[in-house]
Amino acid sequence: MIGIFRRSLRSFTIGQFTLGLSGIIVLFSALTVLLLSTFVEQRAISELAQKDARQTSELVFQSLYSAMRKGWDKQEIHDIIQRLNETLPNAKIRVFRGDPVVAQFGEINGERAIRDQDDLLRQALGQGKEVLQQSQDSLRYLYPLLVREECQACHQAEIGAVNGVVDITFPIQNLKVSLAFVIRSVIAYFAIILTIICCAVYFKLRFFVAFPIRRFVGLIDEIIQHTDLTRRLDQKPSHLSEIQKLSDHFNCLLSTIQDYQDRLRTYSDHDPLTGTYNRRKFEDFLKLEVDRSRRHGHAFSLIMIDVDNFKHINDTYGHPVGDLALKELASVLRHRLRRTDVLARLGGDEFAILLPDTPQPQGESTAEALRRAISETVVRLPVGKTRVQASFGMVSFPDNGEDVEKLTIAMDVAMYKAKRLGKNLVATLDASEEGLMMEVFNRGQQVQRALIEDRVIPFFQPISLPDSGKPYAYEVLARIRDEDAILPAAAFIETAEELGLDRAIDETVFRKGLAEAARVGLTGVKLFFNLSARTIGDTAWMRALPQVIRDAGLQPSQVVLELTEREALPNFDKLIELMGDLRATGLAFALDDFGSGFSSFLYLKYLSVDYVKIEGSFVRHMTTDHRDRIMVEHIHSMARQFGLKTIAEFVEDEETNRLLQEMGVDLGQGYHYGRPRETLE
């Protein structure tokens, strides 16, 4: 019970609040009026009593004065006062002589003692001012009799002197009762009117405010309970404009939330750009189709589509134009599929199609028809027209997999096969190649997970001076941390290149290598980075390297980029111009594995490099094979004539190091100088 009472104090309805507030207002107003009425009553009684006493005193004085004008004695005065007391039975009237009268006519017996003991009487006689004393039930008024000009005919006193005092004491109970009755009547009427006003306000607030808000709360409870956003408030829940506006805005809010919920439901299942299903919904359809096909023994097909060279469209025309191309591609696919087929955009420029009740031969023919339709479609863009092509990977259930995971991987592998075979074609998987392709794809997934989980790390191997062994530079090598093991680049780099992950590895190693060098405050020592052909082909990224290096806290002159024939050949024309621009910023270049290919000497002629790294297969056996020694000597001699520094790779013993010193080779790299390590410290 106590808990319920406490909760009721913390939370109450508008009606309860209004009722309580009205009661408090009435009580406060009544108390205020009561206190004010008591003060007013006392003030009014005092003023009325004083006025009445003054009138009585004037009457007494006039009676005495009338007797004194005729000639008087003490007995006559006493008789007059006695008669006045009898006339006013509730009053007590006394008259006391002042000093001028006492001096002229003498003292009345007993008056002196009374004057000496009565402070109020002495005050009135001494100051000549009225004195009023009010008690609970009576009022005493002392009225001084001042000497006037006419009084000097009988009294030897100056004008203004006090001849005497009229002392009147009378009850005020009747006056108090009458005045209190009037005031209490006013209070009662006021309380009744105030109560009526508060009750009217209470019922008005309850009808115009509390009831509409209760309907609001009831509607909200129904919406929460039934998750029904179609409910709306009545058009006119109240005559108050504010409540009406609140109702309209609440209905508008419900409409907005309902529309937002509908959009969220759509976006949770569909791709907002193309309007096709998204990856999550496609996987739901695939699971259902696998279960259905297992139950009924049906076959179905899956097609994965990847737009060829879509990056070129984005880089050339911009991403908004690329989005238009994707929307056009989705429209082409949608208009050539059955109503039962499922088209989804998996992300980027990748699409997938589920063909229910479609065996492998029919699925392959459908994929080929879609490929031709895309190739023949002219995509109209704001900047002109273009054509797009796509690679198709087609697999079927149950031939290429009997569950969702295997089918998804097989679909990716088939599309990857189409890319490797030259793009713009349909590829399928047969039993003889499926295992090999799946192995490659699985390794690619491992590399992809390593990138996502940030397990790709740089290792640093010293490039040293042969005579002293002091590090001149460090080559930054890519490694993958796999639990407690460290995988070398040879274990994954080829797979990464085949699956297009090499650029991501290059960027990760470059960024982390710079960060490590900045952390240790590396100065006077250079960093050598290997870049893949795909990375070098990204001209925009390459041109941004100087600023990236500066942002990391280093200078471009501290970085050397290594190239091989494989990286240089696909981008030869662009590379010549790019190298010139980057070298102007301080970046240096090195030809890696020089002598391993037939075109090495041609590249040395046309490419402006700073270092030549001699192929390690020549260096490793130069102490035992004089032909290798001759190759190293000639490469070093030719590089010197071009004004380049030479770096011998795979230096693994002191004898090889001694021969390099004799030849004058500038630098060496290999286990003899140091193995790759994770930090520069």
Side-chain angles (χ1 to χ4, degrees), residues 461-612:
Q461 185 176 25
I463 299 174
S464 304
L465 298 169
D467 54 351
S468 64
K470 182 180 179 181
Y472 171 84
Y474 289 93
E475 181 175 356
V476 186
L477 306 171
R479 297 288 188 267
I480 288 180
R481 189 187 303 279
D482 188 6
E483 296 182 354
D484 296 332
I486 299 295
L487 301 181
F492 60 84
I493 198 64
E494 184 177 351
T495 300
E497 290 175 351
E498 291 178 346
L499 296 179
L501 302 175
D502 48 346
R503 178 184 168 187
I505 292 176
D506 286 348
E507 293 181 4
T508 301
V509 172
F510 194 86
R511 172 175 51 82
K512 291 186 176 181
L514 293 177
E516 174 64 13
R519 185 185 69 83
V520 301
L522 189 68
T523 57
V525 179
K526 298 181 182 295
L527 294 178
F528 281 62
F529 290 94
N530 293 282
L531 299 180
S532 66
R534 185 174 283 104
T535 303
I536 294 174
D538 189 347
T539 306
W541 187 82
M542 291 288 292
R543 292 188 179 279
L545 285 182
Q547 188 59 46
V548 172
I549 296 170
R550 295 188 190 97
D551 292 342
L554 303 178
Q555 294 300 319
S557 58
Q558 293 179 257
V559 174
V560 180
L561 304 180
E562 296 188 22
L563 307 173
T564 64
E565 291 184 27
R566 185 176 57 177
E567 286 84 35
L569 184 59
N571 309 282
F572 193 75
D573 294 336
K574 293 182 179 179
L575 183 59
I576 294 175
E577 179 184 357
L578 178 63
M579 288 178 63
D581 294 340
L582 292 178
R583 291 182 81 247
T585 67
L587 277 167
F589 287 85
L591 271 180
D592 194 12
D593 298 335
F594 189 85
S596 61
F598 295 105
S599 304
S600 297
F601 296 96
L602 182 64
Y603 291 138
L604 191 60
K605 176 182 178 181
Y606 290 104
L607 296 179
S608 298
V609 297
D610 304 274
Y611 301 88
V612 171

Side-chain angles (χ1 to χ4, degrees), residues 285-294 298-302 353-360 363 394-399 401 403 407:
F285 281 121
L286 182 56
K287 292 176 184 177
L288 293 174
E289 189 61 26
V290 168
D291 294 339
R292 190 181 73 87
S293 298
R294 283 177 180 171
H298 294 164
F300 67 87
S301 296
L302 286 173
I353 301 173
L354 171 62
L355 304 174
D357 298 321
T358 305
Q360 194 269 344
M394 202 287 302
V395 296
S396 62
F397 172 91
D399 297 339
D403 57 41
L407 285 170

Side-chain angles (χ1 to χ4, degrees), residues 8 53 68 71 164 218 252 274 280 302 402 471 547 600 615 629 657 668:
S8 65
M68 286 186 292
C252 182
T274 61
R280 186 192 65 81
L302 286 173
E402 296 183 354
Q547 188 59 46
S600 297
E615 166 63 28
R629 187 162 60 249
N657 181 61

Side-chain angles (χ1 to χ4, degrees), residues 429-440:
L429 297 180
D430 54 40
S432 62
E433 62 182 351
E434 185 172 338
L436 179 61
M437 299 294 292
M438 291 287 286
E439 182 181 355
V440 173

